[in-house]
Amino acid sequence: YFSSEKELLWQKDFKSYPKPSFEGELILLTSGDNNRIFLIDLNGNLTGEKMIDGRFLSDYAFVPNNGGAILIFSGGEVVRINGKGNKIYSKDLNSKDFSFYKSVCVSPNGQFSAIHYIKNGNDYVSLLNSEGKSVYTYKLNSVYPHKIFLAIGKFGNLLINSKDILDILDSSG
């Protein structure tokens, strides 16, 4: 693992792909099949929860200023971790109905996150608060078989952007 000046910081025998946070303090190492995520610090040592399992990591987002990250697995497992890799909350959103979780984003202050998913043939975006509880769920007009671009402001205002939509929602939906 190298610094921005191309200086070797550390070398470990990981066979996983590194995904560093903005500051590089927290690094996600994804296994080859994206079902297992190892959490390491800047020095290459396991940190926090050490490992998170799920059914295929489909998306993740980091909070700036070493605020942690949120991970979404296609099977509906959502894990929000702090900058040290410890769980803030963990939820399994999967239901008995057909569902697939595709996209995630988190606000700059880490207080809100949004999840894009398909359930029973319709696409939705749900806004979650800092405890992982649903604030609201918004049904999209189309099904998007791919990740869509999401952005959240620090007060929960949500921007949904895809090839044919640009929706802006306040924190009440």
Side-chain angles (χ1 to χ4, degrees):
Y1 197 76
F2 294 91
S3 71
S4 57
E5 290 83 33
K6 309 232 185 309
E7 170 190 15
L8 180 64
L9 296 176
W10 50 264
Q11 185 172 351
K12 302 266 184 173
D13 191 26
F14 288 119
K15 295 190 179 6
S16 302
Y17 184 77
K19 298 175 181 186
S21 64
F22 299 112
E23 297 79 16
E25 297 286 329
L26 178 65
I27 302 167
L28 309 177
L29 293 175
T30 58
S31 65
D33 60 3
N34 269 10
N35 289 330
R36 182 168 288 158
I37 310 300
F38 295 99
L39 306 172
I40 61 171
D41 63 17
L42 183 61
N43 297 315
N45 300 314
L46 290 170
T47 188
E49 297 295 318
K50 295 182 178 47
M51 183 180 65
I52 297 172
D53 286 318
R55 290 169 284 174
F56 188 78
L57 179 71
S58 53
D59 201 12
Y60 64 94
F62 287 105
V63 181
N65 301 317
N66 200 27
I70 186 164
L71 296 85
I72 184 80
F73 293 85
S74 64
E77 302 90 356
V78 180
V79 181
R80 172 78 170 84
I81 53 176
N82 65 19
K84 300 287 185 193
N86 296 310
K87 282 184 189 174
I88 296 172
Y89 65 82
S90 177
K91 299 180 71 157
D92 189 349
L93 301 174
N94 196 17
S95 66
K96 294 179 181 174
D97 303 317
F98 171 76
S99 59
F100 187 88
Y101 294 79
K102 308 174 196 180
S103 313
V104 71
C105 74
V106 64
S107 63
N109 59 5
Q111 295 300 305
F112 295 95
S113 53
I115 297 168
H116 164 229
Y117 58 97
I118 188 171
K119 185 174 183 179
N120 289 331
N122 295 304
D123 265 24
Y124 299 92
V125 174
S126 290
L127 183 72
L128 306 178
N129 66 16
S130 60
E131 298 169 351
K133 295 180 180 159
S134 180
V135 176
Y136 65 80
T137 298
Y138 178 73
K139 182 180 175 189
L140 299 175
N141 294 331
S142 298
V143 171
Y144 300 95
H146 51 76
K147 175 180 173 162
I148 61 173
F149 297 103
L150 303 166
I152 306 174
K154 63 183 178 178
F155 299 114
N157 299 327
L158 176 63
L159 172 76
I160 303 169
N161 183 14
S162 193
K163 66 177 189 162
D164 60 346
I165 63 166
L166 181 63
D167 288 337
I168 301 173
L169 307 170
D170 65 14
S171 60
S172 64

